[in-house]
Amino acid sequence: MEEDGEMKDTIIFYPSPGIGHLISMVELGKRFLQLNPPFSITILITQASFNTGSTSPYIQAVQSYFPSISFHQLPPISFPLHSSSPHHEALIFHLLRLNNPLVHQFLLPIASSIRSLIFDFFCHPVLDLTAPLHIPSYCFYTSPASTLAIFLYTPTIHRLNSASFKDLGDTLFHCPGVPPVPASDMPLPIQDREDDAYHDFLSTARAFPRASGIIINTFESLEPRAVEALRSGACIPDGRTPPVYCIGPLTAEAEKREGGADCLEWLDSQPSRSVVFLCFGSLGVLSERQLKEIAVGLERSGQRFLWVVRSPPSEDKSRRFLAPPEPDLVALLPEGFLERTKGRGLVVKSWAPQVDVLSHDSVGGFVTHCGWNSVLEALCAGVPMVAWPLYAEQRQNRLVMVKEMRLALPVEEGQDGWVTAEEVERRVRELTESEEGKGLRERTVEMKEEAMAAMTESGSSRVALAELAQLWSCVKN
């Protein structure tokens, strides 16, 4: 961050650990640098001892192509991977609280050169550091505005209601700007009021009013009701709502073919819009029994498919937060499945170049875990979705994807999230063969065009980003 012996003005980006959060931050940085501001970007990297998805190859690629984006690796923090909470999010909150002294040590000597700090949802403890240093600090929310509206309204729900969400079943909560939310669709970590993770999320919601602003990876015409509710202050009725900036969609660029050449070559041989792509995110894992059930549903559907399979979660609780091993497809899938579906289906281990796949002409549908990066990537490719949420805020994402945005068909789950082969078959067929599936495709293509318009020079997202750049350019500590 030095130039000609002097400290160059900089923007600090502080993502939580995890490849999805890092990608969104980097894409925000790239878009920002396209405006040619007079400063550079430094991204703080938190080193986690539990599985958050591999980031090193991605960081190396960014460093090669974008020299104005640098990365600072914070020292590793070791702590026991056990908690009174069973949730991955509780570990992340704990790690980022422990991170604060390391972040302070980094910021203190360069505070006068920092124009702004952009922090991820989980990183709100950094506000305790930036306020006394007079560093303007903006939260970058990497999920939809709709779930932010629900999240910021959660302290109000907490105040008005004394029961845990897990005990309220399908009781509906009426949050500003979104369809009624069943208690069962609230994120798993906040289902139990006695869980540490619940209080972590509550503290985070209460910290948001302290931010200088909230930056959201969405565009206004995709979620007009939620954006209006946020800007009106309805989601924080008893406090300040920071200014809201919609600057999306920010998605990763197409990846190099080397890593996924086999599946891309296979797609080259398939008819246009004929393949359903199934992928459940960098942290999405399913039981062996559920994998077999998906296989049965896909085989019965008769549809072409490309399916990314990861190893099931370990039954050893001490390994639940560690990266899974490479999957044994023969052992995990029904006997003879790979042979019987050869030609019309392809199963790949652990990873596929998702942006490349979704952008391929042969792909006509996407079965997704509803992670927001994945949703935006599908939308920008004009690919309709089947929504199968697994963790985090994904059940709420499904709610708005289906009822508000009209971009997806919902997977209907049974006890403990179980999805039958019949449901897999039904939804895959519906997506590819039915009038409703055709309507979803038309709606998705329409929103793809809206997304492109938002990012043009006079588009709403580009204007919002330029406004931020102007603000940060004028800041003097």
Side-chain angles (χ1 to χ4, degrees), residues 287-464:
S287 69
E288 180 176 345
R289 179 169 168 252
Q290 183 67 83
L291 291 174
K292 284 183 165 61
E293 196 77 1
I294 293 173
V296 171
L298 288 175
E299 186 170 358
R300 288 177 181 170
S301 76
Q303 304 301 307
R304 299 173 190 273
F305 64 88
L306 171 61
W307 180 18
V308 178
V309 171
R310 293 187 173 87
S311 291
S314 174
E315 295 181 3
D316 180 354
K317 290 188 176 181
S318 68
R319 298 186 59 82
R320 64 183 173 176
F321 297 126
L322 301 179
E326 184 174 275
D328 180 346
L329 298 181
V330 174
L332 290 174
L333 303 178
E335 184 177 356
F337 170 78
L338 295 173
E339 290 74 20
R340 290 192 302 273
T341 59
K342 188 175 182 179
R344 72 171 178 87
L346 180 67
V347 181
V348 297
K349 296 181 179 180
S350 302
W351 176 87
Q354 182 164 290
V355 175
D356 294 292
V357 169
L358 289 170
S359 302
H360 199 285
D361 179 67
S362 293
V363 174
F366 182 28
V367 179
T368 175
H369 66 311
C370 306
W372 191 236
N373 283 351
S374 294
V375 172
L376 289 179
E377 287 165 7
L379 185 154
C380 290
V383 176
M385 289 164 274
V386 170
W388 184 340
L390 297 181
Y391 56 88
E393 86 293 354
Q394 293 162 10
R395 293 180 71 88
Q396 295 175 355
N397 290 356
R398 174 178 62 182
L399 177 72
V400 296
M401 288 163 63
V402 172
K403 295 192 173 181
E404 192 80 358
M405 301 173 189
R406 307 191 311 280
L407 300 174
L409 299 170
V411 160
E412 294 183 8
E413 303 158 297
Q415 203 74 8
D416 299 323
W418 175 252
V419 177
T420 64
E422 289 76 17
E423 177 67 1
V424 173
E425 177 185 1
R426 179 169 75 98
R427 289 308 192 192
V428 167
R429 283 181 175 274
E430 195 172 2
L431 190 64
T432 54
E433 297 178 347
S434 74
E435 285 300 312
E436 186 173 2
K438 179 182 177 183
L440 282 180
R441 172 172 295 285
E442 292 171 352
R443 166 70 176 170
T444 306
V445 170
E446 175 188 336
M447 294 317 297
K448 173 185 176 179
E449 293 171 354
E450 292 274 347
M452 293 171 63
M455 298 305 293
T456 61
E457 187 169 352
S458 59
S460 60
S461 294
R462 182 68 178 269
V463 168

Side-chain angles (χ1 to χ4, degrees), residues 201-223:
F201 276 91
L202 207 59
S203 296
T204 304
R206 290 168 174 163
F208 266 55
R210 297 167 56 198
S212 303
I214 303 173
I215 304 167
I216 312 175
N217 189 9
T218 192
F219 54 102
E220 294 185 9
S221 61
L222 179 63
E223 305 181 81

Side-chain angles (χ1 to χ4, degrees), residues 54-67:
S54 175
T55 60
S56 294
Y58 178 73
I59 289 173
Q60 291 170 8
V62 173
Q63 288 176 319
S64 298
Y65 291 100
F66 296 93

Side-chain angles (χ1 to χ4, degrees), residues 32-98:
F32 183 62
L33 289 174
Q34 289 174 357
L35 301 175
N36 297 312
F39 35 75
S40 61
I41 289 172
T42 297
I43 300 179
L44 301 182
I45 299 298
T46 299
Q47 300 186 62
S49 55
F50 48 91
N51 181 34
T52 58
S54 175
T55 60
S56 294
Y58 178 73
I59 289 173
Q60 291 170 8
V62 173
Q63 288 176 319
S64 298
Y65 291 100
F66 296 93
S68 292
I69 299 178
S70 62
F71 295 84
H72 177 80
Q73 296 271 355
L74 294 167
I77 295 175
S78 297
F79 62 94
L81 296 184
H82 58 76
S83 165
S84 58
S85 171
H87 302 296
H88 191 264
E89 291 86 352
L91 280 182
I92 294 176
F93 279 121
H94 184 47
L95 171 64
L96 293 168
R97 284 192 294 269
L98 294 176

